[in-house]
Amino acid sequence: MANIPKTMKAIRLHEYGGDYRFHDDIPVPSNLDDYEVLIAIKSAGFCHTEMLVRDGIFKAKQLPLIPSHEPTGIIVAMGAKVSNEFKLGDRVGALNLSHSCGQCPDCLNDKPLYCEDFNATGITIDGAFAEYQKADSHWLVPLPDEISFEQGAPLMCAGATVFNAIERCALKKGEILAIVGLGALGHLAVQFAKCMEFKVVAIDNRPEPLELVQKLKYSPDLTIDSSQIDTANAIEQINTLQSATTTKNYPGADVTLVLTDPIVAYKYALAITKKHGTMVVVGQPREPIQIAFRDLIFRDITVKGSLLSSIESARRMVKFVAKHGIQTEINTYSLEEVPNKMMEDFHSPHMKGKLVVNVSL
Ligand SMILES: [Zn+2]
Ligand SMILES: [Zn+2]
């Protein structure tokens, strides 16, 4: 491990409910196991899940903890058994999973994403708000040259999550996808869905994100301000997108994808989902989502969740982003700015797009 220093700059969470602190003397991770790599972090994203860790809803294995699970950077060291598809100097990102157990039914059935005995970087073990981070090579995502480090970082959770969720919707071209919640995930979802040739309805109750998605290179077919438009009116507008050939269709969206937490968003989404349609849950509201039996039985609505992303889907996603030139709206910070400036911006109601820390570029 030549040229790798002994200590590094990093952000740490010291207690649940406490503030992040900047340090410049944290030991660089060492003792890679056979399947691990050490990434020199270039950029790292700040995800909504970070707040669930800070508040102690998701628990770290131990505190202090280095947050962030959206790393991009360069491989600077690797374990003996890392696949030869990777080499020193490669540009990579990584999903947050690490060391799934290999023995549970999910691990044995090729669904390690659902393993319940694993580590998650930035959540249970140290993450990417640091100059170096260890990553499990099974979850590495090669970063195409067309994607910069700061553009790549938000793809490792936000991008991967919505791409996987949209793939799981199993929509056909021309069908209607309503995206509820146009934050970091939502504005990526709009672009992915447009490039997949679905008809896209973008819904939020805040003016800033609605304006932002209208300016995207791949903008939605329809935007709805749910603070102004009730669900009956929304359905009327959505119906104008149904193709003239599908005369025998029920009103509403074929699939609704809910990417935000407020419980009202789920009520709204369910109401505008057409009969026999699907509502996909990606947000993580702190209260239970209420669903009437009428929606499940008489309207035959399917409700399903979507967890992060398989590694295969994430690797498809970055190629898709490179091919279509999809851009993430980002606001960038230095590591030193995380505890104050970045957190103030994060809590601002006018915040648009994704927060990304440029650790070293
Ligand atoms: Zn995340
Ligand atoms: Zn397992």
Side-chain angles (χ1 to χ4, degrees):
M1 287 176 44
N3 300 325
I4 297 170
K6 292 266 184 296
T7 60
M8 64 179 185
K9 294 181 190 173
I11 296 294
R12 273 179 161 180
L13 175 72
H14 289 259
E15 59 195 352
Y16 296 120
D19 293 327
Y20 293 127
R21 285 192 234 158
F22 173 79
H23 302 267
D24 59 7
D25 57 354
I26 303 300
V28 170
S30 56
N31 301 324
L32 296 181
D33 78 16
D34 282 350
Y35 291 100
E36 282 181 324
V37 299
L38 186 66
I39 301 175
I41 299 294
K42 294 291 186 181
S43 300
F46 187 75
C47 171
H48 166 84
T49 303
E50 251 80 56
M51 285 295 98
L52 299 178
V53 181
R54 196 205 57 177
D55 293 346
I57 293 168
F58 291 160
K59 290 272 193 294
K61 282 185 111 175
Q62 61 178 55
L63 294 177
L65 174 84
I66 299 173
S68 175
H69 52 274
E70 292 184 321
T72 53
I74 289 173
I75 299 177
V76 291
M78 49 208 296
K81 293 184 184 166
V82 173
S83 159
N84 61 13
E85 67 186 305
F86 297 105
K87 60 184 188 311
L88 293 178
D90 278 2
R91 303 170 80 249
V92 292
L95 301 189
N96 73 8
L97 284 98
S98 182
H99 299 90
S100 41
C101 78
Q103 291 162 8
C104 70
D106 282 320
C107 283
L108 294 173
N109 286 303
D110 211 17
K111 289 185 183 171
L113 180 63
Y114 288 92
C115 178
E116 293 175 28
D117 182 14
F118 68 99
N119 290 321
T121 52
I123 297 172
T124 69
I125 57 172
D126 281 342
F129 277 176
E131 291 178 291
Y132 295 90
Q133 184 212 301
K134 281 204 270 195
D136 179 339
S137 60
H138 296 103
W139 297 93
L140 286 179
V141 180
L143 194 63
D145 288 340
E146 296 90 334
I147 302 176
S148 67
F149 290 112
E150 62 180 22
Q151 279 289 318
L155 301 178
M156 296 306 138
C157 178
T161 298
V162 287
F163 191 83
N164 186 60
I166 295 171
E167 283 195 332
R168 284 166 56 91
C169 293
L171 282 158
K172 299 188 197 81
K173 284 181 185 176
E175 289 188 325
I176 300 171
L177 175 65
I179 296 165
V180 183
L182 303 175
L185 280 80
H187 88 295
L188 278 167
V190 165
Q191 299 179 75
F192 290 150
K194 281 301 294 177
C195 292
M196 292 173 188
E197 299 178 43
F198 307 136
K199 289 185 181 151
V200 176
V201 182
I203 302 172
D204 206 297
N205 60 2
R206 300 162 298 162
E208 289 90 351
L210 286 163
E211 281 163 26
L212 186 150
V213 294
Q214 282 163 334
K215 290 183 197 144
L216 293 170
K217 178 169 151 195
Y218 303 104
S219 59
D221 297 278
L222 175 66
T223 54
I224 292 176
D225 180 345
S226 57
S227 73
Q228 305 293 324
I229 309 279
D230 66 17
T231 53
N233 197 336
I235 290 169
E236 273 179 36
Q237 294 190 27
I238 292 168
N239 290 345
T240 64
L241 298 179
Q242 291 193 349
S243 53
T245 51
T246 54
T247 47
K248 287 185 182 166
N249 210 344
Y250 286 102
D254 293 284
V255 175
T256 47
L257 178 59
V258 192
L259 303 174
T260 187
D261 293 347
I263 212 78
V264 289
Y266 294 85
K267 209 171 163 187
Y268 199 95
L270 199 58
I272 63 166
T273 306
K274 78 171 194 190
K275 190 175 179 185
H276 309 298
T278 301
M279 179 171 85
V280 180
V281 176
V282 172
Q284 300 177 344
R286 296 192 186 188
E287 316 97 277
I289 300 164
Q290 293 200 343
I291 301 166
F293 74 85
R294 288 178 196 82
D295 285 318
L296 297 173
I297 295 176
F298 294 105
R299 297 184 65 231
D300 188 33
I301 304 288
T302 300
V303 178
K304 62 181 182 183
S306 185
L307 171 64
L308 187 58
S309 169
S310 66
I311 189 64
E312 295 82 10
S313 175
R315 290 176 180 176
R316 279 195 295 278
M317 179 270 302
V318 288
K319 288 180 188 159
F320 190 87
V321 168
K323 178 181 166 195
H324 293 281
I326 289 167
Q327 291 283 315
T328 306
E329 175 85 7
I330 57 171
N331 305 280
T332 57
Y333 304 86
S334 65
L335 263 185
E336 288 87 338
E337 287 175 322
V338 168
N340 300 308
K341 186 167 190 304
M342 194 196 79
M343 291 313 296
E344 280 164 28
D345 287 355
F346 179 74
H347 291 297
S348 161
H350 304 294
M351 195 62 217
K352 289 185 287 191
K354 181 83 182 173
L355 310 185
V356 173
V357 173
N358 282 328
V359 177
S360 74
L361 278 185

